[in-house]
Amino acid sequence: MKKIYFLLLLLSLISCENTKKKENMSLFKINKEFFGKTNDGAIVDQYTLKNSNGMEVSIISYGGIITSWKAKDRNGDYKDIVLGFTNLSDYETSSPYFGAIIGRYGNRIREGKFSLDGVEYNLAVNNGENHLHGGLKGFDKVIWDVKEEVNDKLASLILRYNSMDMEEGYPGNLDVKVTYTLTNDDELRVRYEADTDKKTVVNLTQHSYFNLSAGLSRDILSHQITIDADSYLPVDKTLIPTGELRDVEGTPFDFRESKRVGDDIYDKDTQLTFGNGYDHCWVLNKQGEGIRIVASAYDPVSGRLLEVYSDQPGIQFYSGNFLDGTLESKDGGKYEFRSGFCLETQHYPNSPNQESFPSVTLNPGEKYETETIFRFTTR
């Protein structure tokens, strides 16, 4: 009897140990490694978030940039599906905002000017005659403070940056917090928070370029896009919205039903000529209803499906029209024309100068809070 008792006890202990090992294998992980030094000598680290399914998202402290995002195809193979670089110097000198946090103001502001309470503020003009994505040194080019949080349900990277009063011409000391959270639903949740000590404008977004085929040099024209929007914002030749909300019905901008990017992109449409393709903000439906699905992208070859959820009023769909084959890709090729697309959830471009657009003003005592979720599945 004693032998049987001790045998059962031993088996029980072995079973418990195996269970613990399985539990440990399922835990989320964050791996930290040195990524490089900036031209100013600042150290930049890379953090790779991993869930128990196999999804991996790598983020660096410079610009809060997503440098790699490995998602599975319909065969279960995990491959990188975002454009970027393997070294820091290219992000400093050559990047068209690959994977970066964008601020203080995502998108364009006409002639780099806006007024608050009768005071005119002048920003850097870095996109023709307009201001783009926060200026010469926006949030995509600063070092963020990083904190890691990991438990058995998620892995989070919390990034903080204090933007000083009049930095890049914007008023107010702005305390910014961006949290990247990877879940076991293969979701990357991006939460933006900010507060200010002086009236200012804020419009933050995430600027990853996706190619769901994982062939990062291939064009994305066969990707199927859906955008839940009945109207979009037409622009002038400098890509500043005219102020009109134009119905998508009967235009190349109708993505209410899933449609290939390449189906209408070569149509003789003045708006497509101005953008050299799609580079416009869509006016999302169901505004004010909180987080809801606003867009999706599907690659029929790999089977990867990306769904975008957000509480924002707009989304900028950009079809990689200014990629021209001069930048080296991570897979050894070049980033060719239209080899990546962006779905940037945000407020409308040039909102500080358009009273009819949803407000982007942040006052002292208020909190800027918004969230976007990127969810991957296959079919």
Side-chain angles (χ1 to χ4, degrees), residues 94-311:
S94 304
S95 181
Y97 305 98
F98 283 154
I101 295 171
I102 302 298
R104 286 190 192 190
Y105 198 92
N107 222 309
R108 295 171 176 86
I109 295 178
R110 187 182 189 90
E111 297 179 352
K113 297 178 182 180
F114 67 93
S115 296
L116 290 173
D117 297 334
V119 178
E120 184 175 88
Y121 295 94
N122 292 282
L123 313 174
V125 173
N126 61 327
N127 183 243
E129 61 190 53
N130 301 315
H131 175 83
L132 177 67
H133 290 338
L136 299 175
K137 189 177 180 181
F139 292 174
D140 60 299
K141 290 182 173 63
V142 301
I143 304 293
W144 293 71
D145 293 328
V146 181
K147 179 183 176 183
E148 305 171 44
E149 284 190 4
V150 183
N151 58 42
D152 60 352
K153 294 182 180 179
L154 51 82
S156 291
L157 210 61
I158 302 167
L159 294 84
R160 289 185 177 273
Y161 178 67
N162 184 254
S163 178
M164 303 299 289
D165 182 35
M166 299 311 296
E167 183 176 306
E168 292 297 311
Y170 290 95
N173 292 296
L174 189 75
D175 185 30
V176 187
K177 176 182 176 183
V178 178
T179 304
Y180 288 111
T181 298
L182 180 63
T183 76
N184 249 351
D185 293 323
D186 285 351
E187 294 177 342
L188 185 70
R189 295 173 172 261
V190 188
R191 182 170 179 79
Y192 309 87
E193 301 172 71
D195 56 65
T196 183
D197 62 359
K198 186 178 180 180
K199 193 171 186 177
T200 191
V201 297
V202 185
N203 185 32
L204 307 182
T205 192
Q206 218 292 328
H207 209 295
S208 284
Y209 287 65
F210 295 98
N211 188 319
L212 302 184
S213 74
L216 302 182
S217 299
R218 301 175 194 162
D219 69 54
I220 46 82
L221 297 180
S222 64
H223 282 56
Q224 298 170 11
I225 301 293
T226 307
I227 303 175
D228 186 20
D230 295 331
S231 58
Y232 77 102
L233 302 178
V235 296
D236 64 19
K237 62 182 180 180
T238 71
L239 301 182
I240 293 291
T242 62
E244 175 192 356
L245 276 64
R246 184 174 296 175
D247 197 328
V248 299
E249 182 75 35
T251 77
F253 294 84
D254 191 350
F255 284 92
R256 291 173 296 180
E257 299 291 334
S258 182
K259 183 176 70 175
R260 293 171 70 254
V261 176
D263 282 353
D264 299 324
I265 202 168
Y266 294 107
D267 281 15
K268 293 182 179 180
D269 183 286
T270 302
Q271 287 299 306
L272 292 174
T273 301
F274 285 162
N276 197 27
Y278 296 109
D279 192 5
H280 297 73
C281 185
W282 271 252
V283 178
L284 293 170
N285 296 331
K286 301 175 184 176
Q287 293 187 17
E289 295 186 15
I291 296 178
R292 74 281 188 205
I293 187 167
V294 296
S296 67
Y298 174 65
D299 173 42
V301 177
S302 69
R304 293 185 180 93
L305 173 66
L306 167 63
E307 295 176 316
V308 182
Y309 298 76
S310 184
D311 53 14

